[in-house]
Amino acid sequence: MDSSYTWIFIVGVVVFFLVIIVLLCFTKAGGDRLFLGGTDDPECASDFEETPALLATLSEDARFSYEQAKVFQQRYPPDSIPTDITLSQFVSIQEKGVSAFEFEWDMESNSFVSARTEIQFFSGECCVQTNLPLPRNQDVYYWEAKMFEKPTTTTVAVGVATKPYPHFRLPGWNRHSIAFFSDTGYKHFNNPFQGKPYGATFEEGDVVGVGYRHRSGTVFFTRNGRRLDDACAGLRWNLFPTIGANGPCQVHVNLGQMGFVFVEANVKKWGLAPAHGTLAPPPAYGLEAGSLLLERGTAAASAAGLGGAGGDADAVPTPPNAPIFSSSRTRNVNRDYDEDDDEQPLIQIDIPRNGNRYPAQSPPEYSTFPRSSAIPPALARYASDTDTEDGISASSSSDSSNNSNSSSGIGAGQNMNRGSLLD
């Protein structure tokens, strides 16, 4: 009885280890095994033997660029800078969606990036990469590049590469990179000398897609919505979408902000991130109700006298420092303040009706009121009108006084005559 339990235990242990081996070696990741063969493929080999015969196939400029790239990657290997997605970058992807990804162009390269994903190449060999690597949250990530403007003499390479990558080289020519080339239809994987036939060439108007399975490190390409064979496997670095060219052209990239030409990527949502993030859009124009800033501004304006409760609701508020010209001629003038009114006098003062006709004190230093003894025209007209009125009243009063005096003189004369007669 004990021997039977022992055999059951041994068989169970053996089955357990067999299941573990099967899971490790044959786990499906989008249809591919975790460990794929192909190490015997010279195109998929990480290292190749550099021989004088291979170097002889390069031109002088190409050889110089190749030597520079070797020195660059010796100084800056793929793990020389942190390329993992940080917490802040992850939050940015969640909030902004695919808009968090954009292509970065080097000041020393002959290229320019506009609207995050529209790349313009001018001359010479150069490449651009995205600011963030391909995420690892889902099985497959996919993006597409459309040849918007491409002369026949320009070669475009579309693929992925690690960072830092020499900006003066096309992807696929240096270590830890792979690309699909437009002029030959070949794929280049870590090898600038020999490419391997992969697909048809692509010209202006064609769309090239790149897919990546991070579990198996598999990279595949599509051309105008048709999927090609797997280009390589075992590329398990932080990979960045990379596009390079050796001449003038314009490439528009779709990272998931719109529909893909490859239908399967649309169905399975293989974009780098959702088209729209969780960050709420700004409020629409005209919906300012409930704004704390506007409420405080209104309260401050009311406290300063800009929105008094006793005035007309439709009247234009009068600034607190704007004096009102008050005189007999302007008492019925509307006091609405208009800073664009050219007829409004710059200096407005109150003229008293009694006592001194003009202010005794001199105007302040910042005032434009004249300091000379000359009377302003407006005040002169007011003075002349007032003088005329005062002259008329004075003459009438003098006439009345003269009449009274004359009448009193006549009465006195008559009395004197009466007295003389009596005498």
Side-chain angles (χ1 to χ4, degrees), residues 4-189:
S4 62
Y5 284 121
T6 303
W7 280 107
I8 293 174
F9 177 77
I10 294 174
V11 171
V13 172
V14 172
V15 170
F16 175 77
F17 280 105
L18 287 176
V19 170
I20 294 298
I21 293 173
V22 170
L23 291 176
L24 290 177
C25 298
F26 299 96
T27 299
K28 297 291 182 179
D32 291 337
R33 293 182 301 170
L34 181 61
F35 298 103
L36 293 178
T39 55
D40 54 344
D41 189 350
E43 180 63 22
C44 290
S46 299
D47 298 324
F48 58 90
E49 185 178 356
E50 180 183 312
T51 62
L54 291 176
L55 294 176
T57 59
L58 302 177
S59 63
E60 184 178 356
D61 294 339
R63 184 170 181 175
F64 179 73
S65 176
Y66 170 71
E67 297 294 340
Q68 276 190 323
K70 283 179 58 178
V71 174
F72 179 90
Q73 290 201 317
Q74 288 176 359
R75 293 181 178 177
Y76 307 102
D79 55 352
S80 61
I81 61 174
T83 56
D84 293 332
I85 296 179
T86 62
L87 180 59
S88 60
Q89 293 173 343
F90 178 77
V91 173
S92 177
I93 295 174
Q94 295 294 323
E95 293 180 347
K96 300 180 181 179
V98 74
S99 300
F101 291 83
E102 62 180 356
F103 280 87
E104 298 177 332
W105 59 282
D106 197 310
M107 294 290 293
E108 299 179 0
S109 64
N110 296 324
S111 62
F112 181 76
V113 177
S114 61
R116 298 186 302 105
T117 57
E118 298 179 2
I119 309 169
Q120 181 79 40
F121 294 96
F122 299 105
S123 62
E125 297 175 354
C126 61
C127 67
V128 294
Q129 296 181 289
T130 55
N131 59 335
L132 300 175
L134 296 174
R136 297 175 179 268
N137 299 329
Q138 60 191 28
D139 291 339
V140 183
Y141 285 94
Y142 179 82
W143 56 280
E144 291 179 343
K146 180 179 180 179
M147 306 297 111
F148 193 77
E149 293 180 1
K150 179 187 172 300
T152 56
T153 57
T154 300
T155 298
V156 178
V158 181
V160 291
T162 57
K163 187 180 280 190
Y165 190 84
H167 64 85
F168 51 89
R169 298 283 287 177
L170 301 185
W173 283 357
N174 291 86
R175 298 183 60 185
H176 312 302
S177 67
I178 184 171
F180 185 20
F181 280 69
S182 65
D183 57 341
T184 60
Y186 284 13
K187 62 178 181 180
H188 284 258
F189 181 70

Side-chain angles (χ1 to χ4, degrees), residues 276-289:
H276 303 284
T278 59
L279 187 64
Y285 180 77
L287 299 180
E288 298 88 0

